[in-house]
Structures are given as C-alpha cells and as structure tokens.
Amino acid sequence: QVQLVESGGGSVQAGGSLRLSCAVSGFTYSSGCMGWFRKAPGREREGVASMNTKGTTRHADSVRGRFTISQDNAKNTLLLQMNSLKPEDTAKYYCAADPYSCAFGSWLYWGQGTQVTVSS
C-alpha cells in the first residue's frame, strides 16, 4: 500500500528555517506528481509545491523563493526546505501524491500531516 509519513515540523521564530521530510513507500508513477499542501485553521487547503516524475518543480506564489521541494537520491523521500519562514506559513503541512495529475487539488494519497508553527 502507498504510505506517506511526514516529519520535521515544529515551532520556529519568523525568519527561521525548517526542513520537512516525507517518507514514501509503495508509490510508483510515470506521470502525476508528489508534493506538499498545507491547511491552516480558517483557511482553505493550499498547494505549496509539487514535483513531477522528471523532477520539474512548481512552487506556490506565496512560497516561491523561500521554499524548495526536492527528493533524495533514492527518490523515496520527499523534502521541503522552508527558509525565511513567516507567521502566515503556520499550518499543518501534508505530503501528498497523485499518479495522474500535477494540478493542486484532491490528490489520491495523503500523509497524516505535520504541524509547522511560526511565531513573530
């Protein structure tokens, strides 16, 4: 079965950095994407960053230049390097994957989420 397990969340001061990891198992694809979403209380779920099978990445306007999505060499770990964190980045971050689409939406597989809290 497909499993995605996030780790690396925590609390940081504004301007700080965190690196989220997603351990991926059971997922293979020739199209579609893996990526990160976030959900803050009172706000809609937001696509943060995605990566397709060729390694092409996309980042939401709100995080571009600050966050970077990547994979390890074995391609079994999805990473999200978050720099210059802002209080508005506070949210629960979810690792997700879809074998068909790279468009941010209701992807097929989801992790349990990891909380990121950025204080001012």
Side-chain angles (χ1 to χ4, degrees):
Q1 70 276 18
V2 176
Q3 293 189 14
L4 301 92
V5 181
E6 303 95 332
S7 62
S11 298
V12 297
Q13 291 284 326
S17 298
L18 284 173
R19 188 177 183 88
L20 305 184
S21 297
C22 174
V24 182
S25 63
F27 182 73
T28 59
Y29 65 109
S30 58
S31 60
C33 274
M34 299 174 60
W36 295 90
F37 293 74
R38 65 187 181 185
K39 177 70 173 69
R43 304 177 71 180
E44 295 184 1
R45 183 184 64 198
E46 176 187 20
V48 175
S50 66
M51 173 179 285
N52 72 8
T53 185
K54 297 182 180 179
T56 302
T57 62
R58 295 181 180 179
H59 298 79
D61 291 345
S62 58
V63 307
R64 190 173 296 112
R66 300 187 298 118
F67 292 10
T68 304
I69 189 172
S70 63
Q71 287 181 295
D72 69 358
N73 291 332
K75 299 184 179 181
N76 61 356
T77 302
L78 188 69
L79 306 172
L80 185 68
Q81 179 66 46
M82 304 186 295
N83 298 326
S84 301
L85 283 160
K86 304 175 180 179
E88 51 263 45
D89 294 319
T90 295
K92 193 169 186 179
Y93 284 71
Y94 296 87
C95 179
D98 192 279
Y100 309 112
S101 176
C102 287
F104 290 135
S106 184
W107 287 12
L108 185 59
Y109 303 111
W110 295 83
Q112 82 285 359
T114 185
Q115 180 67 36
V116 171
T117 302
V118 185
S119 60
S120 61

